[in-house]
Amino acid sequence: MGEETSLIPKCEGMTPLEQALSSPNFPYYEHLRALLCSYLPPKAVEAIDRTFFVADFAHKEQKRASGEPYIIHPIAVATIIAQMHLDTESVQAALLHDVVEDTQINSKMLEEEFGSTVNEIVEGVTKLDKLRFHDYKEAQMENFRKMILAMTKDIRVILIKLADRTHNMRTLGALRPDKRVRIAKETLDVFVPIANRLGISDTRAELEELCMAAIYPMRYRILKAAVTRARNNRKEVVSNILEAIKARLKEANIEATVTGREKRLYSIYMKMVHKELQFREIMDRYGFRIILKDVDTCYRVLGQMHNLFKPRPNGFKDYIAIPKLNGYQSLHTSLVGPHAVPIEIQIRTELMDQMAARGVAAHWAYKESGSKTVSTASQKNAQDWIKNLIDLQQSAGSSMEFVEDVKTDLFPDSIFVFTPDGMIYNLPKGSTPVDFAYAIHSDIGNHCIGARVNHRVFPLSRHLESGQSVEIITSQGASPNAIWLSTVVTSKARSAIRQYLKGLRTQECMLIGRRLLQNTLRSVRIESLTEEQINSILENFGKQSLNDLFCDIAMGNILTVAVAKFLDPNSHKHHELPVKGTGGMPFTYAQCCLPIPGDDIIAHIAQGRGIVIHNVNCKNLRLSDRGPGKTLNVSWNKNVTANMEFKTGLLIELENRQGIVSEISNAIDIAGSRIESINSDQKDEKSFIINLVVTVRDRLHLAGVIRRIKSVPNIISITRRR
């Protein structure tokens, strides 16, 4: 093999196991080897024995920060990979993933010793290890782009990287606090969404919890102690419900595994933060999981559960018939248990349970036959997503544009819609008929001129809802409209529209952009703008000339209403308005989140509605709504808001009893507020949900109103409407 390749010892006359046993670090490898023997054939384990010996030999001079042998880290990464039951090449690559970067052994040696596939996976992971993700600023965009694209070559590259990051997160304790926080935030921003999108919920959940412990150590400890106490207090209730479920299934002669489902700390924390719930309000729900042999039995068990406990209205979701975007499948149902205890039950098959934990990683799981098997839904979704990444890479004009599109795909809230002949399409929440047209085929999107939803004419800019039947009307002479870029939400649609617009001659783009801006300015002629006004606009949007600005408007990168704010003759009066930063332009408050002084706010420039002020964390404000030229940085003008009242929404869950609504009204009046609107809906036999809109001065005043309402007997929970 030559002098260079002699760095990998041959150990002739020794079996792979004997080579492994000769290592002083074999005790660290024993647990992994036992795990491998449980699902891999002897020949495969022999190959991995040899791999361990080579990896251990390569890292023999290296130590971890703790002083332990460095080989502990590759073994830990390989163990995580083996726990997913991944194939032989994945485990070998995991053991070798740091060899090329940290030792004298190079790629050529690895390929000769272990083959091209193992070498290519190691090479992919090595390239990722050189990337650093401090934030999403433009300087880091190209790195993020490279990491995402590494997944398109072999998904096992990112699976090993996720395992590598998981072990690094488990061992953060030896690092400085500031470094721990930086790595944890990077993990939460980059790796957690990828694990979620690939359906690997076990890895996602562990990373989320480890990140929380690193970023908010005190909150983590307090919450963990509270969960432990609550678990002990709930044992009897959980046990009784479990026995009731098992007894009903036994009566029906249904074989099943039934377990209580623990809530994850990070999930509890995020619900407390975003929904402004108290700990007890989250922990008063009891979760259970029923694992069965086949799909038909899942639906039989659903009927049994609905006979055993009363189902809640709108509390059923069928993710078996219509899987989530990451391939997750299960039946979810919310029920009212004994003593009105809220119960949530998940019903799924054994394969679905494995897929929920391992997601796309199950594609590479080694089976007895030596073939790779997979859940069709999970693998198809992963393949479609990866294919979409390749398309985005080819059509994106910059790393910033590419990453913006990928991030949209990483954080989807999905809806499902149907073609007229009954085919189902998963789309992100907020999708329009144009998004749907491009989801079917790029040609259909490019030639779309209209849509019918449930057999009625439907605007192309309006959001679709789950369950609708959508028919796209096309014309061969039609072409994409630049205005669509301000309404579509899917990366595929945005990418295809941009690609078409980039194909237009620059002169045509300038004419389109100029016409769009002039339509917005109305009485103000572009030709009459002063040099000072033009310079102000160009400086704000970072453009060299008006022609560059017109092209960006045509491409949908800048909305014309954002430009118009610099030309409003009344902009100097903005200090008299309750919100600063709108340039004096008229605005409205978003009815979805009803922001009030004290909230962090953002101004969204909505197509056809002008400027709308949202809470910065509003769930209805999508990532695509926050792009360049689509938002303004605004803040409250405290001198003005001090003498004003604002509306905000409250959802109150309460036990039904005579006179309680009157008592709530009195409490609100005593707190110095008043009710603007009220409606109610029955939740179950004993409880109601009241939807209130009340007036308050600011968040401090709202806190006082909520305290007064909570003092009314039989109030179960109060949350602010988001």
Side-chain angles (χ1 to χ4, degrees), residues 355-402:
M355 293 305 303
R358 306 208 306 259
V360 73
H363 172 60
W364 299 103
Y366 187 91
K367 302 299 173 183
E368 289 292 331
S369 64
S371 64
K372 300 178 181 73
T373 63
V374 69
S375 158
T376 304
S378 177
Q379 183 58 17
K380 184 180 184 303
N381 278 292
Q383 287 174 340
D384 288 347
W385 185 50
I386 289 170
K387 182 179 179 296
N388 188 39
L389 291 178
I390 297 171
D391 294 340
L392 290 179
Q393 152 72 0
Q394 293 170 347
S395 61
S398 66
S399 295
M400 183 81 77
E401 186 179 299
F402 173 74

Side-chain angles (χ1 to χ4, degrees), residues 158-317:
I158 204 66
L159 295 179
I160 292 171
K161 186 59 187 173
L162 285 170
D164 176 52
R165 179 51 63 109
T166 301
H167 185 248
N168 286 338
M169 287 299 300
R170 289 174 182 173
T171 56
L172 275 184
L175 303 178
R176 298 192 316 268
D178 60 318
K179 196 170 183 182
R180 288 202 298 267
V181 170
R182 180 184 65 77
I183 293 172
K185 286 183 175 178
E186 169 188 300
T187 302
L188 208 53
D189 286 345
V190 177
F191 294 99
V192 167
I194 290 173
N196 181 58
R197 189 61 179 79
L198 296 176
I200 313 170
S201 64
D202 279 1
T203 299
R204 171 190 57 78
E206 182 178 359
L207 287 177
E208 285 176 339
E209 201 147 317
L210 291 169
C211 289
M212 182 185 171
I215 300 170
Y216 307 112
M218 187 64 73
R219 299 180 200 180
Y220 177 81
R221 285 196 293 270
I222 292 170
L223 193 57
K224 189 172 184 179
V227 168
T228 302
R229 286 195 300 272
R231 186 188 298 134
N232 293 333
N233 295 336
R234 290 153 45 105
K235 275 182 180 177
E236 187 178 349
V237 177
V238 171
S239 177
N240 291 340
I241 297 172
L242 266 175
E243 289 306 314
I245 293 173
K246 288 178 179 177
R248 174 54 64 96
L249 294 177
K250 188 174 181 180
E251 283 176 23
N253 200 27
I254 295 173
E255 187 180 338
T257 302
V258 187
T259 59
R261 186 166 53 83
E262 283 287 323
K263 286 183 171 65
R264 306 275 188 175
L265 281 181
Y266 184 78
S267 174
I268 294 171
Y269 175 68
M270 294 310 291
K271 283 181 180 177
M272 291 175 69
V273 171
H274 292 312
K275 296 186 178 181
E276 296 184 357
L277 297 173
Q278 294 182 9
F279 177 75
R280 64 174 178 81
E281 294 171 325
I282 295 172
M283 294 303 289
D284 66 359
R285 294 180 178 272
Y286 295 78
F288 299 88
R289 184 170 294 150
I290 303 175
I291 312 297
L292 303 153
K293 295 290 184 185
D294 56 68
V295 172
D296 287 347
T297 312
C298 290
Y299 289 98
R300 283 179 58 209
V301 168
L302 177 69
Q304 293 292 337
M305 293 303 101
H306 283 191
N307 283 326
L308 180 61
F309 303 118
K310 185 175 180 181
R312 292 173 178 271
N314 303 316
F316 170 61
K317 292 179 181 176

Side-chain angles (χ1 to χ4, degrees), residues 611-625:
I611 294 178
V612 182
I613 308 299
H614 286 262
N615 188 308
V616 76
N617 294 318
C618 179
K619 290 186 286 190
N620 285 345
L621 204 58
R622 306 181 305 272
L623 286 169
S624 57
D625 295 329

Side-chain angles (χ1 to χ4, degrees), residues 12-217:
E12 294 177 5
M14 295 176 67
T15 66
L17 177 56
E18 287 170 341
Q19 293 173 31
L21 284 166
S22 70
S23 166
N25 294 319
F26 181 80
Y28 297 114
Y29 174 63
E30 275 186 297
H31 171 69
L32 169 59
R33 193 176 193 279
L35 180 57
L36 296 170
C37 289
S38 70
Y39 77 94
L40 288 176
K43 282 286 184 187
V45 178
E46 276 187 18
I48 296 170
D49 286 340
R50 169 68 178 165
T51 309
F52 159 70
F53 176 73
V54 172
D56 184 46
F57 180 83
H59 290 296
K60 64 181 178 181
E61 303 298 332
Q62 297 173 321
K63 300 285 184 184
R64 289 177 61 78
S66 61
E68 297 172 303
Y70 187 84
I71 192 64
I72 287 176
H73 172 65
I75 289 173
V77 173
T79 300
I80 295 170
I81 292 298
Q83 285 166 345
M84 297 180 188
H85 283 203
L86 295 201
D87 60 4
T88 310
E89 292 162 335
S90 301
V91 180
Q92 287 180 293
L95 283 168
L96 298 165
H97 78 275
D98 279 337
V99 164
V100 173
E101 185 176 11
D102 296 342
T103 77
Q104 298 299 311
I105 294 175
N106 59 35
S107 290
K108 183 182 176 184
M109 300 175 197
L110 282 190
E111 185 166 353
E112 290 179 0
E113 178 74 27
F114 300 106
S116 60
T117 302
V118 171
N119 178 55
E120 284 168 8
I121 298 173
V122 171
E123 204 170 44
V125 177
T126 300
K127 287 177 181 176
L128 296 190
D129 283 339
K130 293 177 181 175
L131 305 183
R132 295 294 178 265
F133 307 98
H134 300 299
D135 51 40
Y136 280 121
K137 302 301 182 205
E138 186 160 12
Q140 299 297 325
M141 290 298 181
E142 187 61 26
N143 287 343
F144 184 68
R145 176 182 189 150
K146 288 174 183 173
M147 191 191 79
I148 294 295
L149 291 175
M151 296 163 55
T152 67
K153 295 177 181 175
D154 192 325
I155 200 74
R156 289 174 289 184
V157 170
I158 204 66
L159 295 179
I160 292 171
K161 186 59 187 173
L162 285 170
D164 176 52
R165 179 51 63 109
T166 301
H167 185 248
N168 286 338
M169 287 299 300
R170 289 174 182 173
T171 56
L172 275 184
L175 303 178
R176 298 192 316 268
D178 60 318
K179 196 170 183 182
R180 288 202 298 267
V181 170
R182 180 184 65 77
I183 293 172
K185 286 183 175 178
E186 169 188 300
T187 302
L188 208 53
D189 286 345
V190 177
F191 294 99
V192 167
I194 290 173
N196 181 58
R197 189 61 179 79
L198 296 176
I200 313 170
S201 64
D202 279 1
T203 299
R204 171 190 57 78
E206 182 178 359
L207 287 177
E208 285 176 339
E209 201 147 317
L210 291 169
C211 289
M212 182 185 171
I215 300 170
Y216 307 112

Side-chain angles (χ1 to χ4, degrees), residues 241-524:
I241 297 172
L242 266 175
E243 289 306 314
I245 293 173
K246 288 178 179 177
R248 174 54 64 96
L249 294 177
K250 188 174 181 180
E251 283 176 23
N253 200 27
I254 295 173
E255 187 180 338
T257 302
V258 187
T259 59
R261 186 166 53 83
E262 283 287 323
K263 286 183 171 65
R264 306 275 188 175
L265 281 181
Y266 184 78
S267 174
I268 294 171
Y269 175 68
M270 294 310 291
K271 283 181 180 177
M272 291 175 69
V273 171
H274 292 312
K275 296 186 178 181
E276 296 184 357
L277 297 173
Q278 294 182 9
F279 177 75
R280 64 174 178 81
E281 294 171 325
I282 295 172
M283 294 303 289
D284 66 359
R285 294 180 178 272
Y286 295 78
F288 299 88
R289 184 170 294 150
I290 303 175
I291 312 297
L292 303 153
K293 295 290 184 185
D294 56 68
V295 172
D296 287 347
T297 312
C298 290
Y299 289 98
R300 283 179 58 209
V301 168
L302 177 69
Q304 293 292 337
M305 293 303 101
H306 283 191
N307 283 326
L308 180 61
F309 303 118
K310 185 175 180 181
R312 292 173 178 271
N314 303 316
F316 170 61
K317 292 179 181 176
D318 188 344
Y319 293 121
I320 292 180
I322 305 169
K324 289 187 178 182
L325 281 173
N326 60 12
Y328 174 87
Q329 290 183 288
S330 185
L331 298 178
H332 289 195
T333 184
S334 295
L335 310 160
V336 181
H339 310 295
V341 169
I343 299 174
E344 296 170 345
I345 297 180
Q346 297 175 351
I347 306 168
R348 60 179 71 152
T349 66
E350 292 171 355
L351 178 60
M352 290 172 192
D353 195 49
Q354 292 171 17
M355 293 305 303
R358 306 208 306 259
V360 73
H363 172 60
W364 299 103
Y366 187 91
K367 302 299 173 183
E368 289 292 331
S369 64
S371 64
K372 300 178 181 73
T373 63
V374 69
S375 158
T376 304
S378 177
Q379 183 58 17
K380 184 180 184 303
N381 278 292
Q383 287 174 340
D384 288 347
W385 185 50
I386 289 170
K387 182 179 179 296
N388 188 39
L389 291 178
I390 297 171
D391 294 340
L392 290 179
Q393 152 72 0
Q394 293 170 347
S395 61
S398 66
S399 295
M400 183 81 77
E401 186 179 299
F402 173 74
V403 172
E404 180 190 338
D405 289 342
V406 172
K407 284 168 67 181
T408 301
D409 275 358
L410 284 175
F411 300 93
D413 260 340
S414 60
I415 62 169
F416 62 91
V417 291
F418 300 86
T419 63
D421 57 2
M423 283 188 65
I424 300 172
Y425 280 84
N426 266 314
L427 295 172
K429 191 175 181 181
S431 292
T432 66
V434 176
D435 290 296
F436 177 74
Y438 279 105
I440 298 172
H441 198 281
S442 295
D443 283 346
I444 293 176
N446 286 340
H447 297 109
C448 171
I449 59 169
R452 293 189 187 93
V453 173
N454 296 339
H455 308 293
R456 295 185 177 182
V457 175
F458 194 87
L460 290 177
S461 60
R462 186 181 295 176
H463 296 171
L464 296 170
E465 295 178 5
S466 279
Q468 291 178 326
S469 174
V470 186
E471 178 187 357
I472 300 298
I473 305 165
T474 61
S475 170
Q476 284 304 311
S479 59
N481 190 328
I483 297 297
W484 291 352
L485 285 171
S486 62
T487 58
V488 297
V489 299
T490 60
S491 54
K492 183 175 182 181
R494 272 203 312 275
S495 172
I497 296 166
R498 283 175 177 152
Q499 199 165 17
Y500 172 82
L501 293 174
K502 286 171 186 174
L504 294 176
R505 295 197 310 272
T506 303
Q507 188 65 31
E508 291 178 6
C509 279
M510 289 191 300
L511 289 173
I512 292 171
R514 187 184 188 92
R515 186 165 66 248
L516 290 171
L517 180 58
Q518 187 60 73
N519 288 343
T520 302
L521 295 178
R522 297 183 181 177
S523 59
V524 178

